[in-house]
Amino acid sequence: MTRLTAPFLDDPALKQVLAALSAKGAQVLIVGGAVRNALLGEPVADVDISTSARPDETIRLAEAGGLRTVPTGIEHGTVTVIADGRGFEVTSFRRDVETFGRRAVVAYSDRIEDDAHRRDFTMNALYATASGQVLDPVGGLPDLAARRLRFVGDPHARIAEDYLRILRFFRLLAWYGREADLTALAACRELRGGLSSISKERIGHEIRKLLNAPDPSRAVALMAESGVLPLVLPGADASDLAELIEIEQEYGAGALPVWPRRLALLAPQHAAEALRLSRDETRAQDHIAQALTLPAPVAAYRLGRAFAAQSVLIRAAHGVKPAFGWCHELARGAAAKFPLTARDLMPALSGPALGEALHRAEAAFVESDFTLPRDALLRIALQQEAKA
């Protein structure tokens, strides 16, 4: 018998929810990612709960136990139970009657086996009691021990229920897997065309999480080999991603945002539209791309130290190793201040001539490696006026 000893089981709020819902004899279990992560020794964020109680019964039991409820997804059998100011999603056991892609006709069930067979991967179909006893209806424990990512049942059927599961397969492989089930991988390749029916926002959400994994290079390489990567990121080139991961580890890049850098390496031209990036995320990709066209200190001066650092790491992954002292050079570029303002050139200059003069002087300042003094820059700015 496998038993969890995870700290989250001692959470008073969780204990209160589990006790309230099981007060009349309903089966109440922790399910999915919390169980998976605890068994792997990974951090546990959210704790989801599955129960044989129907949604209306869940609400009655929770409120009888002094807890507040919110019917966040009651049409799908999900109620959020609030304890100590935190929400726990509680979903009733269900079984599929008919499926139509993401839409399905479901019926409530009293059997954990029915509920488990609706889930995506075997390592996500693990349940635990309040005392930590692990229940494994679909053989997920051996897969988890082997870090093997396998669909529950027929992978073609699971994917057809929601084609986004193709990307979830690669994302979970990046985070938790060492071995990709070959039948699962084949199904992802064969059914990849179904991703065209998935919104770019949902695809973008998965890609962000995938690229945030400690080392997504193998999963992304398999995406490329299976034809999935070019569908979701046209023009993507994953050939240097593994090198980038090594560079990140070598240079200690943990303080910088991870997925934007990796995305900029993969697909510098098409990512914003393909993944429906936000305005700020698109601007970040544009800044990284611009930084890649500039010497690193100049990039730090014009765009900021963080974007310049991203470009240095990407260049290193492409084989252009940074010079000794590059961090100091970035700091120096970021700290450089152009000593002229428009007021310094007025009233001698105005309008377009004023802008051109400032641009000319700043270009000279940058070309001088930020060393030209203010007086020299004034002469450069006013030289055209003097000729006139």
Side-chain angles (χ1 to χ4, degrees), residues 146-359:
R147 297 276 187 143
R148 178 173 51 246
L149 197 61
R150 183 168 64 88
F151 282 99
V152 174
D154 178 12
H156 293 79
R158 295 290 78 75
I159 291 172
E161 291 165 358
D162 184 355
Y163 287 101
L164 192 68
R165 284 176 171 172
I166 293 174
L167 296 186
R168 281 177 55 80
F169 174 81
F170 292 107
R171 192 245 295 177
L172 291 177
L173 182 65
W175 277 97
Y176 307 114
R178 282 196 298 260
E179 178 185 338
D181 178 68
L182 294 181
T183 58
L185 196 58
C188 290
R189 181 175 59 251
E190 293 164 16
L191 299 178
R192 66 187 185 277
L195 285 167
S196 62
S197 65
I198 302 297
S199 73
K200 292 179 179 179
E201 288 81 2
R202 294 183 74 211
I203 289 173
H205 185 66
E206 285 295 323
I207 294 296
R208 288 176 181 86
K209 292 195 287 187
L210 185 156
L211 292 180
N212 262 335
D215 183 358
S217 57
R218 180 171 172 270
V220 174
L222 287 174
M223 287 177 69
E225 291 173 15
S226 62
V228 171
L229 185 62
L231 279 180
V232 296
L233 273 176
D237 182 357
S239 57
D240 288 333
L241 182 57
E243 183 66 23
L244 177 61
I245 306 302
E246 291 186 14
I247 293 294
E248 292 171 350
Q249 295 168 351
E250 179 180 353
Y251 290 101
L256 294 170
V258 173
W259 73 261
R261 172 174 63 249
R262 295 169 178 178
L263 181 60
L265 175 123
L266 286 175
Q269 296 180 342
H270 306 282
E273 172 59 25
L275 305 181
R276 286 285 195 272
L277 299 184
S278 71
R279 184 177 300 176
D280 287 344
E281 291 167 344
T282 299
R283 186 181 298 113
Q285 290 295 303
D286 290 343
H287 284 350
I288 295 173
Q290 187 179 348
L292 284 164
T293 69
L294 300 170
V298 178
Y301 169 73
R302 297 199 179 280
L303 301 165
R305 186 174 180 177
F307 291 117
Q310 302 282 38
S311 72
V312 169
L313 297 174
I314 292 172
R315 282 196 187 100
H318 291 322
V320 182
K321 298 294 184 182
F324 178 78
W326 66 274
C327 287
H328 173 74
E329 288 298 291
L330 293 191
R332 188 173 62 82
K337 302 295 182 185
F338 181 52
L340 293 187
T341 67
R343 187 182 299 275
D344 296 322
L345 305 181
M346 298 168 62
L349 297 176
S350 62
L354 175 60
E356 290 170 6
L358 284 171
H359 178 75

Side-chain angles (χ1 to χ4, degrees), residues 105-123:
V105 176
V106 300
Y108 295 121
S109 173
D110 297 318
R111 302 178 65 247
I112 185 179
E113 291 80 8
D114 291 335
D115 190 72
H117 279 91
R118 295 193 74 251
R119 298 185 178 273
D120 48 9
F121 305 105
T122 58
M123 66 169 59

Side-chain angles (χ1 to χ4, degrees), residues 11-14 16-17 66-68 70 80-88:
D11 176 6
L14 175 62
Q16 189 178 7
V17 172
L67 303 173
R68 189 165 62 88
V70 181
T80 298
V81 178
I82 312 296
D84 193 27
R86 290 153 44 216
F88 295 85

